[in-house]
Amino acid sequence: MKKVVLITGCSSGFGMAGALAFARSGWRVYATMRDLSKQDRLLHQAHEEHLPLEVKRIDVTDQSTIDQSIKELTQEAGRLDVLVNNAGYGLIGPLEYLSMEQIQDLFNTNLFGAVRMIKAVLPIFRRQKSGHIINISSVAGLAGLPLYSAYCASKYALEGLSEALVFELDPFQIKISNIEPGPFDTEFSKGSVKYGSSMRNHDSPYHVLNDYFFKRHKKTQYDSPESVACLLVRIAQTSHPQLRFPIGKKVKELVLFKKFMSISLTQKVMKHLMKVPQKA
Ligand SMILES: NC(=O)c1ccc[n+]([C@@H]2O[C@H](COP(=O)([O-])OP(=O)(O)OC[C@H]3O[C@@H](n4cnc5c(N)ncnc54)[C@H](OP(=O)(O)O)[C@@H]3O)[C@@H](O)[C@H]2O)c1
C-alpha cells in the first residue's frame, strides 16, 4: 500500500517541490493550498511527469478547511503517514514599527497554523501507532537575525513546540522532525515576505539597518528548493530520524558556532561576518 503524505502550502516553493518529490518516490500525495486558483502550476508539472496528485484546500488559519480536508483524506486514503507543516511567510522590519496585528497574523500562520494541523492529525497517528510530523522551520528558528525578530520568534516557538512534543509523542511511536533552511529560491525571497511600515522610510530611526538589509538582500545567494524537497522525502523514509535538519549555505557553520561558542562570541562573529551596522 502506498504511504500517504499531506503537505500544506503547495502553491509554490518548498511545498510544491516537496509534493512533486514525494509523488516521484511513489507516495500518495495530498498537496494542500489555501487558494485553489493557484493549483495549475503544480498540476501541470504533475501531468507532464504522469504523477498522481490530489489537491485539497487548506488555509492553516481556518480550522473548518483543515477539518474538511482531514475528513476527506480519512475517507479516501484511510490512513496518513506524514504531515509536512510547510505553510508560512516572512515578516521583516524593526519590531518597534511592526504592528501587533502584523505580528499576531504571523504567529497565526507560522505557529498556530502548524499547531492546528498537528492537533488535527494526532488522533489518526495515535490510532495507527505511527506517523511523522515534519515542520519547515528556518535558520531563523536557530539564531536571531537582524530585522527578523518577529519571524525568528515564530520559528523559535515552532522549535520549542517540537522539542517538547518528542517526549509527548514518543510513547505512541509518532516521530517529529524540523528542517531549518537558510536562504532558498522560492516566492519567500521574491514576494511573499511582508515588510514593516518603516522599512522603506528614509526618516526612520532604523534607516541604516533597513538600507543594510536591502543591500544584503540583493547580494544573497539562494539555493534551489529541490534540495529541501529531496531532504523531505529522505527524512520521511528514515526509521529513526533526528529532530533537526539544518540545510543551506552557511547554516551548518552557524549551528556549530552556536553549539561550541558562547552566545556573546557567536553574536560578535555574526555581526562581523554579516557586516551588521553598529551605529544607527
Ligand atoms: N525560502 C526560504 O528562504 C525559507 C527559509 C527558511 C524557511 N522557510 C519557510 O519555508 C516555508 C515555505 O516557504 P517557501 O520558501 O516555500 O515560500 P513560498 O514560495 O512563499 O511558499 C509559502 C507557501 O505557504 C502558503 N501559505 C501562506 N499562508 C498560508 C495559510 N494561511 N494557509 C495555507 N498556506 C499558506 C503560501 O500560499 P499562497 O501562495 O496562497 O500565499 C505558499 O504556498 C515557510 O514556512 C517559510 O517560513 C523559507
Side-chain angles (χ1 to χ4, degrees):
M1 203 173 14
K2 278 188 173 192
K3 290 208 165 189
V4 184
V5 58
L6 183 152
I7 311 173
T8 60
C10 292
S11 66
S12 61
F14 297 144
M16 182 184 288
L20 292 166
F22 272 108
R24 285 181 199 117
S25 301
W27 287 63
R28 180 165 181 179
V29 180
Y30 281 85
T32 73
M33 57 187 77
R34 62 176 163 179
D35 180 357
L36 290 179
S37 71
K38 292 186 179 176
Q39 65 184 309
D40 290 356
R41 204 149 59 99
L42 172 65
L43 288 181
H44 175 75
Q45 190 57 37
H47 181 73
E48 289 276 294
E49 297 184 44
H50 307 289
L51 299 171
L53 257 180
E54 286 158 77
V55 177
K56 299 234 177 262
R57 178 166 181 262
I58 288 185
D59 178 335
V60 297
T61 65
D62 179 347
Q63 187 68 46
S64 66
T65 65
I66 297 174
D67 295 342
Q68 182 61 30
S69 286
I70 296 288
K71 190 173 153 200
E72 289 171 16
L73 178 149
T74 316
Q75 284 163 357
E76 292 162 16
R79 62 176 293 111
L80 178 64
D81 297 282
V82 173
L83 162 70
V84 180
N85 274 321
N86 165 70
Y89 65 92
L91 175 62
I92 295 168
L95 186 76
E96 190 181 339
Y97 287 95
L98 296 178
S99 69
M100 282 313 293
E101 199 187 359
Q102 281 181 309
I103 298 169
Q104 282 164 351
D105 285 351
L106 181 78
F107 271 72
N108 198 20
T109 299
N110 288 11
L111 177 65
F112 300 130
V115 171
R116 285 185 196 96
M117 292 303 303
I118 292 171
K119 283 169 69 65
V121 304
L122 279 182
I124 305 173
F125 284 177
R126 267 194 306 97
R127 260 197 316 274
Q128 291 173 178
K129 285 202 168 33
S130 72
H132 193 168
I133 298 157
I134 307 179
N135 298 313
I136 306 291
S137 172
S138 170
V139 63
L142 301 176
L145 302 168
L147 298 177
Y148 280 80
S149 57
Y151 181 68
C152 285
S154 72
K155 293 295 187 179
Y156 262 79
L158 193 57
E159 291 288 336
L161 178 95
S162 310
E163 213 173 293
L165 280 179
V166 169
F167 299 106
E168 223 167 282
L169 302 182
D170 199 43
F172 303 103
Q173 289 88 52
I174 300 168
K175 298 173 277 189
I176 183 151
S177 306
N178 285 357
I179 297 182
E180 289 100 359
F184 277 81
D185 185 15
T186 66
E187 291 307 310
F188 189 95
S189 55
K190 292 180 192 134
S192 60
V193 160
K194 293 185 170 51
Y195 291 102
S197 60
S198 77
M199 279 301 280
R200 297 197 189 265
N201 177 359
H202 288 290
D203 298 328
S204 161
Y206 294 91
H207 76 95
V208 174
L209 202 54
N210 295 348
D211 292 349
Y212 152 84
F213 169 83
F214 287 116
K215 273 187 204 135
R216 236 193 115 71
H217 185 62
K218 270 190 200 147
K219 286 189 193 154
T220 306
Q221 291 178 341
Y222 295 96
D223 288 316
S224 157
E226 296 307 321
S227 53
V228 172
C230 292
L231 178 63
L232 265 173
V233 178
R234 187 160 63 74
I235 297 172
Q237 288 167 343
T238 304
S239 351
H240 300 288
Q242 62 211 46
L243 174 61
R244 295 199 164 95
F245 292 86
I247 179 170
K249 286 192 179 72
K250 303 203 178 118
V251 177
K252 285 193 178 139
E253 289 89 325
L254 183 67
V255 172
L256 281 177
F257 272 153
K258 288 207 76 172
K259 192 167 175 188
F260 295 111
M261 298 198 310
S262 67
I263 184 71
S264 56
L265 192 55
T266 306
Q267 291 196 322
K268 266 190 195 147
V269 173
M270 280 176 70
K271 273 183 193 165
H272 177 71
L273 291 179
M274 295 168 76
K275 300 189 177 68
V276 183
Q278 298 303 294
K279 287 201 175 124

